[in-house]
Amino acid sequence: MLVQRYEVISLNMGKTETYQFGKKVYRSAIKKEPVNGPVFLSKVGLAGDEQAYEHHGGENKALCVYPLDHYEHWRPVFHNMVDTALFGENLTVSGLTEDIAHIGDIFSIGEAIVQISEPRNPCYKLAAKYEVPSLIVQVRNTGYTGFLLRVLKEGMISPHDAMELIEPHPQRVSVALVNDVKFHDRFNRDKVNRVLQVKELSESLHLAIKQQFDSGQKNGWG
């Protein structure tokens, strides 16, 4: 099998800070900066990388990945465009986009082994960071969400390590397909069933998609 390797453009970490968006004051570590050396990756994330809220991070959301491939799409949208950690991601990676990244795919990076667990859910903090109120809707409509990883094997990783696909998931349910049933084709029974059959999908998202389908009502995904 041809080895699939994806270049890591930057490895990013951040500290929680206080921000204001309109009348809303919130804490976030969305402003991340590249690191130059190796960092220990544990089951819950990079050593020293902070998360502001309990529902961010955790074992199914240990790392956030965003494709460099989408940066040019956003350049006309953001007046305060940055060239690293655009979406507050831990790993900026070239070539690994949502249409070819599958739930359950397993990768090596440095000493660590990681697995795709779910798409990244766009939230108001992205809109606040770039002062683009419609950004959440734009991210949903494009499907340019990025995705999250769980850690199967802890270890040191560095910005010089590539992500190497070592075990593609046999069901081939892409991050793009999961985004489709989350945000668009929510009540397509065949698509929803295909997504829910992947046991490597995070438990929380599995439940949310099932509840949305069973209720016949759109989830706000706030």
Side-chain angles (χ1 to χ4, degrees):
M1 184 181 72
L2 181 67
V3 175
Q4 297 179 38
R5 300 177 77 252
Y6 301 93
E7 182 185 3
V8 174
I9 305 302
S10 63
L11 173 63
N12 314 301
M13 295 171 51
K15 301 291 186 182
T16 54
E17 300 179 56
T18 300
Y19 298 90
Q20 184 166 351
F21 184 49
K23 295 181 179 180
K24 194 178 188 71
V25 177
Y26 64 95
R27 299 274 293 169
S28 176
I30 197 168
K31 185 178 179 181
K32 298 189 186 297
E33 298 291 339
V35 297
N36 295 320
V39 182
F40 182 72
L41 176 61
S42 77
K43 292 282 188 178
V44 294
L46 296 169
D49 187 46
E50 295 185 356
Q51 303 288 344
Y53 297 106
E54 185 177 348
H55 62 275
H56 289 171
E59 292 196 3
N60 283 316
K61 303 177 181 181
L63 281 181
C64 178
V65 177
Y66 200 76
L68 178 71
D69 310 64
H70 301 329
Y71 273 44
E72 286 306 308
H73 172 85
W74 299 115
R75 197 170 294 278
V77 178
F78 302 153
H79 70 270
N80 49 350
M81 179 81 179
V82 296
D83 291 321
T84 54
L86 181 66
F87 273 57
E89 70 269 15
N90 299 112
L91 290 172
T92 309
V93 177
S94 178
L96 187 56
T97 52
E98 294 84 356
D99 56 330
I100 63 172
H102 301 92
I103 305 299
D105 282 353
I106 297 174
F107 297 81
S108 65
I109 178 169
E111 297 175 348
I113 306 294
V114 297
Q115 182 179 54
I116 298 177
S117 58
E118 64 174 274
R120 190 258 186 87
N121 193 52
C123 71
Y124 71 88
K125 293 176 185 177
L126 288 172
K129 179 180 181 182
Y130 294 109
E131 300 176 359
V132 180
S134 66
L135 185 57
I136 295 174
V137 173
Q138 291 189 52
V139 172
R140 291 174 180 174
N141 288 343
T142 58
Y144 295 166
T145 59
F147 49 90
L148 302 173
L149 305 176
R150 64 172 62 92
V151 177
L152 303 181
K153 177 179 176 289
E154 300 179 330
M156 301 298 293
I157 68 172
S158 82
H160 308 295
D161 298 321
M163 284 186 67
E164 183 173 315
L165 180 64
I166 59 174
E167 189 175 330
H169 195 273
Q171 289 170 270
R172 309 293 284 174
V173 170
S174 68
V175 171
L177 177 59
V178 180
N179 280 331
D180 187 32
V181 300
K182 278 183 69 177
F183 301 132
H184 305 295
D185 206 4
R186 297 171 172 91
F187 307 112
N188 183 313
R189 184 180 298 275
D190 290 341
K191 286 183 181 179
V192 170
N193 285 341
R194 188 178 171 208
V195 168
L196 295 183
Q197 285 170 5
V198 181
K199 64 182 179 60
E200 290 81 6
L201 182 69
S202 68
E203 184 178 352
S204 60
L205 185 54
H206 181 284
L207 178 62
I209 290 174
K210 186 176 188 305
Q211 287 178 336
Q212 175 175 257
F213 182 81
D214 290 345
S215 70
Q217 297 181 351
K218 295 179 181 179
N219 188 310
W221 303 108

